[in-house]
Amino acid sequence: MFRNKTVLITGSTSGIGRAIAEGFAAQNANIILNGIELIEEVNMILDEMSRKTRGTVVYECANMADSDAIEIMMKRSIERFGSVDVLVNNACIQHVSPIESFPVEKWDIILSLGLSSAFHTIRHALPAMRQKGWGRIINIASAHGLVASVQKSAYVAAKHGVIGLTKVVALETATDNITCNAICPGWVLTPLVQKQIDEKAEKMGISLSEAQYDLLQEKQPSMAFVKPEDLAAFALFLSGDAASQITGSAMTMDGGWVSR
Ligand code: NAD
C-alpha cells in the first residue's frame, strides 16, 4: 500500500525516527530521512535502508530549528517526489533543569524542534496532500504531551503544544482524506533517554542498570521500555486505510504511564 507513497521523517538518523523510516522502507515507500549529520555520517544508514526496499531513500540534512532550512527541505522533497504523502514530525531533544536555571537557549531550541518545526513542515506539506486528496500526518509527541514531570518545562510545553496543533490540523483537514494524529510514547531506550540514564547514575552515584530501573519505576508501570519497532508499526497502522477515521487523536504507547 505504500509502494508509491513518499514518507518524510524528521530526525530519522537515530532512535524512533530511524525505526519508523525502516518500517516504511520495508513497505517499499520512498523515504526522506532527515537529521543534522553530514551525509558522510549517514551513508551507512542510507545504503542499508536502500538495500532493503524497492523505494528510493534520500537524506536531507536540515536543521529543524530553522524555518528557512525546513522550507528548502520541504520544497526540494515535493519537487522531487510530487508530494510528501506521510509526514512524521519526530525530531526533538530533551533538557532537564529546574525552571529558574533552565537555559534560555535550550527553551528556544526545544520549542522550535518540538513544536514550531511541525507547524512549518505541515504548512508546506498540506497543499500537495490536498491536491492528491490523501495525506497522513503523525506527530511524535510524548506521554509528556499529556502529563508533566518536574524539570522538563520546555519539553512538556512543546509536547502539549504539538498535541494542540494536531487537533487544529485534524479539524482543518477533516473532509480532505488527510488525517493528523499524535503518538505519545513512554520511555523508549534511545540515545535521548540513555543520556538521562547516564546523568541520573552519575548524579545519584548508582549503576546504569539501577538508574534504568529507577527511571522505569518512577513512570512506566509495565517496567519495560517501549520498542522503536512497535512505534513504527503504530505509525504504519495510522497511515493505513483502517485508520482513515482516526484523526485529531493523541494516542499513547507508554506501558501505562498516563493511567496513573
Ligand atoms: P534520538 O536522540 O534517538 O533521535 C533524535 C533525532 O533527531 C536524531 O536523528 C537527531 O539527528 C535528530 N535531531 C536532533 N536535533 C535535530 C535538529 N536540530 N534538526 C533535525 N534533526 C535533529 O531521540 P528519540 O528518543 O528517538 O526521540 C525521537 C522523538 O520521540 C522525539 O520527538 C522525542 O521527544 C520523542 N519521544 C522519545 C521518547 C523516548 O523515551 N526516547 C519518549 C517519548 C517521546
Side-chain angles (χ1 to χ4, degrees), residues 164-257:
L165 175 68
T166 301
K167 292 176 186 173
V168 174
V169 174
L171 292 179
E172 291 188 12
T173 57
T175 56
D176 303 324
N177 211 14
I178 297 167
T179 68
C180 180
N181 292 289
I183 296 180
C184 301
W187 294 126
V188 190
L189 195 53
T190 65
L192 182 142
V193 165
Q194 188 60 50
K195 185 168 169 263
Q196 293 173 66
I197 293 169
D198 296 347
E199 285 166 6
K200 197 181 193 62
E202 194 178 328
K203 199 167 146 201
M204 295 173 69
I206 56 178
S207 70
L208 287 177
S209 57
E210 284 167 325
Q212 195 167 303
Y213 180 88
D214 257 33
L215 199 90
L216 289 168
Q217 167 83 7
E218 194 192 345
K219 300 283 184 190
Q220 200 140 305
S222 65
M223 291 303 289
F225 288 101
V226 175
K227 293 193 205 116
E229 59 270 29
D230 290 348
L231 287 163
F234 202 176
L236 279 162
F237 168 71
L238 285 176
S239 304
D241 290 340
S244 68
Q245 291 307 307
I246 303 178
T247 194
S249 295
M251 283 162 288
T252 57
M253 187 182 270
D254 68 352
W257 181 319

Coordinates of all heavy atoms in Angstrom, one line a residue, residues 164-257:
G164 N -2.0 20.1 20.7 CA -3.0 21.2 20.3 C -2.9 21.4 18.8 O -4.0 21.5 18.1
L165 N -1.7 21.5 18.3 CA -1.5 21.7 16.8 C -2.2 20.5 16.0 O -2.8 20.7 15.0 CB -0.1 21.8 16.5 CG 0.3 21.9 15.0 CD1 -0.2 23.3 14.4 CD2 1.9 21.8 14.8
T166 N -2.0 19.3 16.5 CA -2.5 18.1 15.9 C -4.0 18.2 15.8 O -4.6 17.9 14.7 CB -2.2 16.9 16.8 OG1 -0.8 16.8 16.9 CG2 -2.7 15.6 16.2
K167 N -4.7 18.7 16.8 CA -6.2 18.8 16.8 C -6.6 19.9 15.8 O -7.6 19.6 15.0 CB -6.7 19.2 18.2 CG -6.5 18.1 19.2 CD -6.9 18.6 20.6 CE -6.6 17.5 21.7 NZ -6.8 18.0 23.0
V168 N -5.9 21.0 15.7 CA -6.3 22.0 14.8 C -6.1 21.5 13.3 O -7.0 21.7 12.5 CB -5.5 23.3 15.0 CG1 -5.8 24.4 13.9 CG2 -5.7 23.9 16.4
V169 N -5.0 20.9 13.1 CA -4.8 20.4 11.7 C -5.8 19.4 11.3 O -6.3 19.3 10.2 CB -3.3 19.9 11.6 CG1 -3.1 19.2 10.2 CG2 -2.3 21.0 11.8
A170 N -6.2 18.5 12.3 CA -7.2 17.5 12.1 C -8.5 18.1 11.7 O -9.2 17.7 10.7 CB -7.4 16.6 13.3
L171 N -8.9 19.2 12.4 CA -10.1 19.9 12.1 C -10.1 20.5 10.7 O -11.0 20.5 9.9 CB -10.5 20.9 13.1 CG -10.8 20.4 14.5 CD1 -11.1 21.6 15.5 CD2 -12.0 19.5 14.5
E172 N -8.9 21.1 10.4 CA -8.8 21.9 9.1 C -8.8 20.9 7.9 O -8.9 21.4 6.8 CB -7.6 22.8 9.1 CG -7.9 24.0 10.1 CD -6.8 25.1 10.0 OE1 -6.0 25.1 9.1 OE2 -6.8 25.9 10.9
T173 N -8.5 19.7 8.1 CA -8.3 18.7 7.0 C -9.4 17.6 7.1 O -9.3 16.6 6.3 CB -6.9 18.1 7.0 OG1 -6.7 17.4 8.3 CG2 -5.8 19.1 6.8
A174 N -10.4 17.7 8.0 CA -11.3 16.6 8.3 C -12.0 16.1 7.1 O -12.3 14.9 7.0 CB -12.3 17.1 9.4
T175 N -12.3 16.9 6.1 CA -13.1 16.4 5.0 C -12.2 16.1 3.7 O -12.7 16.0 2.6 CB -14.2 17.4 4.6 OG1 -13.6 18.6 4.3 CG2 -15.3 17.5 5.7
D176 N -10.9 16.1 3.9 CA -10.0 16.1 2.8 C -9.2 14.8 2.6 O -8.2 14.8 1.9 CB -9.0 17.3 2.8 CG -9.7 18.6 2.9 OD1 -10.8 18.7 2.3 OD2 -9.2 19.5 3.7
N177 N -9.6 13.7 3.3 CA -8.9 12.5 3.3 C -7.5 12.6 3.8 O -6.6 11.9 3.3 CB -8.9 11.9 1.8 CG -8.9 10.4 1.8 OD1 -9.1 9.8 2.8 ND2 -8.6 9.9 0.6
I178 N -7.3 13.5 4.7 CA -6.0 13.7 5.4 C -6.2 13.6 6.9 O -7.2 14.1 7.4 CB -5.5 15.2 5.1 CG1 -5.2 15.4 3.6 CG2 -4.2 15.5 5.9 CD1 -5.0 16.8 3.2
T179 N -5.4 12.8 7.5 CA -5.5 12.7 9.0 C -4.3 13.3 9.7 O -3.2 13.3 9.1 CB -5.7 11.2 9.4 OG1 -4.5 10.5 9.2 CG2 -6.9 10.6 8.7
C180 N -4.5 13.7 10.9 CA -3.3 14.2 11.7 C -3.5 13.7 13.1 O -4.5 14.0 13.7 CB -3.3 15.7 11.6 SG -1.9 16.4 12.6
N181 N -2.5 12.9 13.5 CA -2.6 12.3 14.9 C -1.3 12.5 15.6 O -0.2 12.7 15.0 CB -2.9 10.9 14.8 CG -4.3 10.6 14.3 OD1 -5.3 10.9 15.0 ND2 -4.5 10.2 13.0
A182 N -1.3 12.4 16.9 CA -0.1 12.4 17.7 C 0.1 11.0 18.4 O -0.9 10.4 18.9 CB -0.2 13.5 18.8
I183 N 1.3 10.6 18.4 CA 1.7 9.3 19.1 C 2.4 9.8 20.4 O 3.3 10.6 20.3 CB 2.5 8.4 18.3 CG1 1.7 7.9 17.1 CG2 3.0 7.2 19.2 CD1 2.5 6.9 16.2
C184 N 2.0 9.2 21.5 CA 2.6 9.7 22.8 C 3.4 8.5 23.4 O 2.8 7.7 24.3 CB 1.5 10.1 23.7 SG 0.6 11.5 23.0
P185 N 4.6 8.3 23.1 CA 5.4 7.2 23.7 C 5.7 7.5 25.2 O 5.9 8.6 25.6 CB 6.6 7.1 22.9 CG 6.4 8.0 21.7 CD 5.4 9.0 22.1
G186 N 5.9 6.4 25.9 CA 6.5 6.5 27.2 C 8.0 6.3 27.0 O 8.5 6.7 25.9
W187 N 8.7 5.8 28.0 CA 10.2 5.6 27.8 C 10.5 4.6 26.7 O 10.0 3.5 26.7 CB 10.8 5.0 29.1 CG 10.8 5.9 30.3 CD1 10.3 5.5 31.5 CD2 11.4 7.2 30.5 NE1 10.5 6.5 32.5 CE2 11.1 7.6 31.9 CE3 12.0 8.1 29.7 CZ2 11.6 8.8 32.4 CZ3 12.4 9.3 30.2 CH2 12.2 9.7 31.5
V188 N 11.4 5.1 25.8 CA 11.9 4.2 24.7 C 13.5 4.3 24.9 O 14.0 5.4 25.0 CB 11.5 4.7 23.3 CG1 11.9 3.7 22.2 CG2 10.1 5.1 23.3
L189 N 14.1 3.2 24.9 CA 15.6 3.2 25.1 C 16.4 3.7 23.9 O 16.8 2.9 23.1 CB 16.1 1.9 25.6 CG 17.5 1.9 26.3 CD1 17.6 2.9 27.4 CD2 17.8 0.5 26.8
T190 N 16.4 5.0 23.7 CA 17.2 5.6 22.6 C 18.2 6.5 23.2 O 18.3 6.7 24.4 CB 16.2 6.5 21.7 OG1 15.8 7.6 22.6 CG2 15.0 5.7 21.2
P191 N 19.1 7.1 22.3 CA 20.1 8.0 22.9 C 19.6 9.1 23.7 O 20.2 9.5 24.7 CB 20.8 8.5 21.6 CG 20.7 7.4 20.6 CD 19.3 6.8 20.9
L192 N 18.3 9.6 23.4 CA 17.7 10.7 24.1 C 17.5 10.3 25.6 O 17.7 11.0 26.5 CB 16.4 11.1 23.4 CG 15.5 12.2 24.0 CD1 14.9 13.0 22.9 CD2 14.4 11.7 24.9
V193 N 17.1 9.0 25.8 CA 16.8 8.5 27.1 C 18.1 8.0 27.8 O 18.3 8.2 29.0 CB 15.7 7.4 27.1 CG1 15.6 6.6 28.4 CG2 14.4 8.1 26.8
Q194 N 19.0 7.4 27.0 CA 20.2 6.9 27.6 C 21.0 8.0 28.3 O 21.6 7.9 29.3 CB 21.1 6.3 26.5 CG 22.3 5.5 27.0 CD 22.0 4.4 28.0 OE1 21.2 3.6 27.7 NE2 22.6 4.4 29.2
K195 N 20.9 9.2 27.7 CA 21.6 10.4 28.2 C 21.0 10.7 29.6 O 21.8 11.0 30.6 CB 21.4 11.6 27.3 CG 22.1 12.8 27.7 CD 22.1 13.9 26.5 CE 22.6 15.2 27.0 NZ 21.6 16.2 27.3
Q196 N 19.7 10.6 29.8 CA 19.1 10.8 31.1 C 19.4 9.7 32.1 O 19.6 10.0 33.3 CB 17.5 10.9 30.9 CG 17.1 12.1 30.1 CD 15.6 12.1 29.8 OE1 14.8 12.2 30.7 NE2 15.3 12.0 28.5
I197 N 19.6 8.5 31.6 CA 20.0 7.4 32.5 C 21.4 7.7 33.0 O 21.7 7.5 34.2 CB 19.9 6.0 31.8 CG1 18.4 5.7 31.5 CG2 20.5 4.9 32.6 CD1 18.1 4.6 30.6
D198 N 22.3 8.0 32.0 CA 23.7 8.3 32.4 C 23.8 9.4 33.4 O 24.5 9.3 34.4 CB 24.5 8.7 31.1 CG 24.6 7.6 30.1 OD1 24.3 6.5 30.4 OD2 25.0 7.9 28.9
E199 N 23.0 10.5 33.2 CA 23.1 11.7 34.1 C 22.5 11.3 35.5 O 23.1 11.7 36.5 CB 22.2 12.8 33.5 CG 22.9 13.5 32.4 CD 22.0 14.5 31.6 OE1 20.9 14.7 32.0 OE2 22.5 15.0 30.6
K200 N 21.5 10.5 35.5 CA 20.9 10.0 36.8 C 21.9 9.2 37.6 O 22.1 9.3 38.8 CB 19.6 9.2 36.5 CG 18.7 9.0 37.6 CD 17.5 8.2 37.1 CE 16.3 8.1 38.0 NZ 15.5 9.1 38.4
A201 N 22.5 8.2 36.9 CA 23.5 7.3 37.5 C 24.6 8.2 38.1 O 25.1 7.9 39.3 CB 24.1 6.3 36.5
E202 N 25.1 9.1 37.4 CA 26.2 10.0 37.8 C 25.8 10.8 39.1 O 26.5 10.8 40.1 CB 26.7 10.8 36.7 CG 28.1 11.4 37.1 CD 28.7 12.3 36.0 OE1 28.4 12.0 34.8 OE2 29.4 13.3 36.3
K203 N 24.7 11.4 38.9 CA 24.2 12.3 40.0 C 23.9 11.6 41.3 O 24.2 12.0 42.4 CB 22.9 13.0 39.5 CG 22.5 14.3 40.2 CD 21.4 15.0 39.5 CE 20.5 15.7 40.5 NZ 19.2 16.0 39.9
M204 N 23.3 10.4 41.2 CA 22.9 9.6 42.4 C 24.0 8.6 42.8 O 23.8 7.9 43.8 CB 21.6 8.9 42.1 CG 20.4 9.8 41.9 SD 18.9 9.0 41.3 CE 18.5 8.1 42.9
G205 N 25.1 8.5 42.0 CA 26.2 7.6 42.4 C 25.7 6.1 42.4 O 26.0 5.3 43.2
I206 N 24.9 5.8 41.4 CA 24.3 4.4 41.2 C 24.8 3.8 39.9 O 25.3 4.6 39.0 CB 22.8 4.4 41.4 CG1 22.1 5.3 40.4 CG2 22.4 4.7 42.8 CD1 20.6 5.3 40.4
S207 N 24.6 2.5 39.7 CA 25.0 1.9 38.4 C 24.0 2.3 37.3 O 22.8 2.7 37.6 CB 25.0 0.4 38.6 OG 23.7 -0.1 38.7
L208 N 24.4 2.0 36.1 CA 23.5 2.3 35.0 C 22.2 1.5 35.0 O 21.1 2.0 34.8 CB 24.2 2.1 33.6 CG 25.2 3.2 33.3 CD1 25.9 2.8 32.0 CD2 24.6 4.6 33.2
S209 N 22.4 0.2 35.4 CA 21.1 -0.6 35.5 C 20.2 -0.2 36.6 O 19.0 -0.2 36.5 CB 21.5 -2.1 35.5 OG 22.3 -2.4 36.6
E210 N 20.8 0.3 37.7 CA 20.0 0.8 38.8 C 19.2 2.1 38.4 O 18.1 2.3 38.6 CB 20.8 1.1 40.1 CG 21.2 -0.1 40.8 CD 22.3 0.2 41.9 OE1 23.2 1.0 41.7 OE2 22.2 -0.5 43.0
A211 N 20.0 2.9 37.6 CA 19.4 4.2 37.1 C 18.2 3.9 36.1 O 17.2 4.5 36.2 CB 20.4 5.0 36.4
Q212 N 18.4 2.8 35.3 CA 17.4 2.4 34.3 C 16.2 1.9 35.1 O 15.0 2.3 34.7 CB 18.0 1.3 33.5 CG 17.2 1.0 32.3 CD 18.0 0.1 31.3 OE1 19.1 0.5 30.9 NE2 17.5 -1.0 31.0
Y213 N 16.4 1.1 36.1 CA 15.3 0.6 36.9 C 14.5 1.7 37.6 O 13.3 1.8 37.5 CB 15.8 -0.4 38.0 CG 14.8 -1.0 38.9 CD1 14.1 -2.2 38.5 CD2 14.4 -0.4 40.1 CE1 13.1 -2.7 39.3 CE2 13.4 -0.9 40.9 CZ 12.8 -2.1 40.5 OH 11.8 -2.6 41.3
D214 N 15.2 2.7 38.1 CA 14.6 3.9 38.8 C 13.7 4.6 37.8 O 12.6 5.1 38.2 CB 15.8 4.8 39.2 CG 16.0 4.7 40.7 OD1 15.8 3.6 41.3 OD2 16.4 5.8 41.3
L215 N 14.3 4.8 36.6 CA 13.6 5.6 35.6 C 12.2 4.9 35.3 O 11.2 5.6 35.3 CB 14.4 5.6 34.4 CG 14.2 6.7 33.3 CD1 15.0 7.9 33.6 CD2 14.6 6.2 32.0
L216 N 12.2 3.6 35.1 CA 11.0 2.9 34.8 C 10.1 2.9 36.0 O 8.9 3.1 35.8 CB 11.3 1.5 34.3 CG 12.0 1.3 33.0 CD1 12.5 -0.1 32.8 CD2 11.0 1.6 31.8
Q217 N 10.6 2.6 37.1 CA 9.8 2.5 38.4 C 9.1 3.8 38.6 O 7.9 3.7 39.1 CB 10.9 2.3 39.5 CG 10.4 2.4 40.9 CD 9.7 1.1 41.4 OE1 9.7 0.1 40.7 NE2 9.1 1.2 42.5
E218 N 9.7 4.9 38.3 CA 9.1 6.2 38.6 C 7.8 6.5 37.7 O 6.9 7.1 38.1 CB 10.1 7.3 38.4 CG 9.7 8.7 38.9 CD 10.7 9.8 38.4 OE1 11.8 9.5 37.9 OE2 10.3 10.9 38.6
K219 N 7.9 6.0 36.4 CA 6.9 6.5 35.5 C 6.1 5.4 34.7 O 5.0 5.5 34.3 CB 7.5 7.3 34.4 CG 8.2 8.6 34.9 CD 7.2 9.7 35.2 CE 7.9 11.0 35.6 NZ 6.9 11.9 36.2
Q220 N 6.8 4.2 34.4 CA 6.3 3.3 33.5 C 5.8 2.0 34.1 O 6.7 1.1 34.3 CB 7.3 3.1 32.3 CG 6.7 2.5 31.1 CD 7.4 3.2 29.8 OE1 7.4 4.4 29.7 NE2 7.9 2.3 28.9
P221 N 4.5 1.9 34.5 CA 4.1 0.7 35.3 C 4.5 -0.6 34.7 O 4.7 -1.6 35.4 CB 2.5 0.9 35.3 CG 2.3 2.4 35.1 CD 3.4 2.8 34.2
S222 N 4.6 -0.7 33.3 CA 4.9 -2.0 32.7 C 6.3 -2.5 33.1 O 6.7 -3.6 32.9 CB 4.8 -2.0 31.2 OG 5.7 -1.1 30.7
M223 N 7.2 -1.5 33.5 CA 8.6 -1.8 33.9 C 9.4 -2.3 32.6 O 10.4 -3.0 32.8 CB 8.7 -2.7 35.0 CG 8.3 -2.2 36.4 SD 9.2 -0.6 36.8 CE 10.8 -1.2 37.2
A224 N 8.9 -1.9 31.5 CA 9.6 -2.3 30.2 C 9.6 -1.1 29.3 O 8.7 -0.3 29.3 CB 8.9 -3.5 29.5
F225 N 10.7 -1.0 28.5 CA 10.8 0.1 27.5 C 9.9 -0.2 26.4 O 9.7 -1.4 26.0 CB 12.2 0.3 27.0 CG 13.1 0.9 28.1 CD1 14.0 0.1 28.8 CD2 13.1 2.3 28.3 CE1 14.8 0.7 29.8 CE2 13.9 2.8 29.3 CZ 14.8 2.0 30.0
V226 N 9.3 0.9 25.8 CA 8.6 0.7 24.5 C 9.6 0.5 23.4 O 10.7 1.1 23.4 CB 7.8 2.0 24.2 CG1 7.1 2.0 22.8 CG2 6.8 2.3 25.3
K227 N 9.3 -0.4 22.5 CA 10.3 -0.7 21.4 C 10.1 0.2 20.2 O 9.0 0.4 19.8 CB 10.1 -2.2 21.0 CG 10.5 -3.2 22.0 CD 10.6 -4.6 21.3 CE 10.3 -5.7 22.3 NZ 9.1 -6.5 22.0
P228 N 11.2 0.8 19.7 CA 11.0 1.6 18.5 C 10.3 1.0 17.4 O 9.5 1.6 16.7 CB 12.5 1.9 18.1 CG 13.3 1.7 19.3 CD 12.6 0.7 20.1
E229 N 10.5 -0.4 17.2 CA 9.8 -1.0 16.1 C 8.3 -1.1 16.3 O 7.6 -1.2 15.3 CB 10.5 -2.4 15.7 CG 10.5 -3.4 16.8 CD 11.8 -3.3 17.7 OE1 12.3 -2.2 17.9 OE2 12.1 -4.4 18.3
D230 N 7.9 -1.1 17.6 CA 6.5 -1.2 17.8 C 5.9 0.2 17.5 O 4.7 0.3 17.0 CB 6.2 -1.5 19.3 CG 6.5 -3.0 19.6 OD1 6.7 -3.7 18.6 OD2 6.6 -3.4 20.7
L231 N 6.6 1.3 17.8 CA 6.1 2.6 17.4 C 6.1 2.7 15.8 O 5.2 3.3 15.3 CB 7.1 3.7 17.9 CG 6.9 3.9 19.5 CD1 8.1 4.6 20.0 CD2 5.6 4.6 19.8
A232 N 7.0 2.1 15.2 CA 7.0 2.1 13.7 C 5.7 1.3 13.2 O 5.0 1.8 12.3 CB 8.2 1.4 13.1
A233 N 5.3 0.2 13.8 CA 4.1 -0.5 13.5 C 2.9 0.4 13.7 O 1.9 0.4 12.9 CB 4.0 -1.8 14.2
F234 N 2.9 1.1 14.8 CA 1.8 2.0 15.1 C 1.7 3.1 14.0 O 0.6 3.4 13.6 CB 2.2 2.7 16.5 CG 1.0 3.3 17.3 CD1 1.2 3.8 18.5 CD2 -0.3 3.2 16.7 CE1 0.1 4.3 19.3 CE2 -1.4 3.8 17.5 CZ -1.1 4.3 18.7
A235 N 2.8 3.7 13.6 CA 2.8 4.7 12.6 C 2.3 4.1 11.3 O 1.5 4.8 10.5 CB 4.2 5.3 12.4
L236 N 2.7 2.9 11.0 CA 2.2 2.3 9.7 C 0.7 2.1 9.8 O 0.0 2.3 8.8 CB 2.9 0.9 9.5 CG 4.3 1.0 8.9 CD1 5.1 -0.3 9.1 CD2 4.2 1.2 7.4
F237 N 0.2 1.6 11.0 CA -1.2 1.4 11.1 C -2.0 2.8 10.9 O -3.0 2.8 10.2 CB -1.6 0.9 12.5 CG -3.0 0.9 12.8 CD1 -3.9 0.1 12.2 CD2 -3.5 1.9 13.7 CE1 -5.3 0.2 12.4 CE2 -4.9 2.0 14.0 CZ -5.8 1.1 13.4
L238 N -1.5 3.8 11.5 CA -2.1 5.1 11.4 C -2.1 5.7 10.0 O -2.9 6.5 9.6 CB -1.5 6.2 12.3 CG -1.8 6.0 13.8 CD1 -1.0 7.0 14.6 CD2 -3.3 6.2 14.1
S239 N -1.2 5.2 9.2 CA -1.1 5.6 7.8 C -1.9 4.7 6.8 O -2.0 5.0 5.6 CB 0.4 5.6 7.4 OG 1.1 6.4 8.2
G240 N -2.5 3.7 7.4 CA -3.2 2.7 6.5 C -4.7 3.1 6.4 O -5.2 4.0 7.1
D241 N -5.4 2.3 5.5 CA -6.8 2.6 5.3 C -7.6 2.4 6.5 O -8.6 3.1 6.7 CB -7.3 1.6 4.2 CG -6.7 2.0 2.8 OD1 -6.2 3.1 2.7 OD2 -6.7 1.1 1.9
A242 N -7.3 1.4 7.4 CA -8.1 1.1 8.5 C -8.2 2.3 9.5 O -9.1 2.4 10.4 CB -7.6 -0.1 9.2
A243 N -7.2 3.2 9.4 CA -7.1 4.4 10.3 C -7.7 5.6 9.7 O -7.5 6.7 10.2 CB -5.7 4.6 10.7
S244 N -8.4 5.5 8.6 CA -8.9 6.7 7.9 C -9.8 7.6 8.7 O -9.9 8.8 8.5 CB -9.5 6.4 6.5 OG -10.8 5.8 6.8
Q245 N -10.4 7.0 9.7 CA -11.3 7.9 10.6 C -10.7 8.2 11.9 O -11.4 8.7 12.8 CB -12.7 7.1 10.7 CG -13.5 7.1 9.5 CD -13.7 8.5 8.8 OE1 -14.1 9.4 9.5 NE2 -13.3 8.6 7.6
I246 N -9.4 7.9 12.0 CA -8.7 8.3 13.3 C -8.0 9.6 12.9 O -7.1 9.7 12.1 CB -7.7 7.3 13.7 CG1 -8.3 5.9 14.0 CG2 -7.0 7.7 15.0 CD1 -7.4 4.8 14.4
T247 N -8.5 10.7 13.5 CA -7.8 12.0 13.3 C -8.0 12.9 14.5 O -9.0 12.8 15.2 CB -8.3 12.6 12.0 OG1 -7.4 13.7 11.7 CG2 -9.7 13.2 12.0
G248 N -7.0 13.7 14.8 CA -7.1 14.6 15.9 C -6.8 13.9 17.3 O -7.0 14.5 18.3
S249 N -6.3 12.6 17.2 CA -6.1 11.9 18.4 C -4.7 12.0 18.9 O -3.8 12.1 18.2 CB -6.5 10.4 18.2 OG -7.8 10.2 17.9
A250 N -4.6 11.8 20.3 CA -3.3 11.7 20.9 C -3.3 10.3 21.5 O -4.0 10.1 22.5 CB -3.1 12.8 21.9
M251 N -2.5 9.4 20.9 CA -2.6 8.0 21.4 C -1.3 7.6 22.1 O -0.2 7.8 21.6 CB -2.9 7.1 20.2 CG -4.3 7.2 19.7 SD -4.5 6.5 18.1 CE -3.8 7.9 17.2
T252 N -1.5 6.9 23.2 CA -0.3 6.5 24.0 C 0.2 5.2 23.6 O -0.6 4.3 23.2 CB -0.7 6.5 25.5 OG1 -1.7 5.6 25.7 CG2 -1.0 7.9 26.0
M253 N 1.5 5.0 23.7 CA 2.1 3.7 23.8 C 3.2 3.8 24.9 O 4.3 4.2 24.6 CB 2.8 3.3 22.4 CG 3.3 1.9 22.4 SD 4.1 1.4 20.9 CE 2.7 0.8 19.9
D254 N 2.7 3.6 26.1 CA 3.5 4.1 27.2 C 3.6 3.2 28.4 O 3.9 3.6 29.5 CB 3.0 5.5 27.7 CG 1.6 5.4 28.3 OD1 1.0 4.3 28.3 OD2 1.1 6.4 28.9
G255 N 3.2 1.9 28.2 CA 3.3 0.9 29.3 C 2.5 1.4 30.5 O 2.7 0.9 31.7
G256 N 1.4 2.2 30.3 CA 0.5 2.6 31.4 C 0.9 3.9 32.1 O 0.2 4.3 33.0
W257 N 1.9 4.6 31.6 CA 2.4 5.9 32.2 C 1.3 6.8 32.6 O 1.2 7.3 33.8 CB 3.4 6.5 31.2 CG 4.1 7.8 31.6 CD1 3.5 8.9 32.3 CD2 5.4 8.1 31.3 NE1 4.5 9.9 32.4 CE2 5.6 9.4 31.8 CE3 6.5 7.5 30.6 CZ2 6.9 10.1 31.7 CZ3 7.7 8.2 30.5 CH2 7.9 9.4 31.0

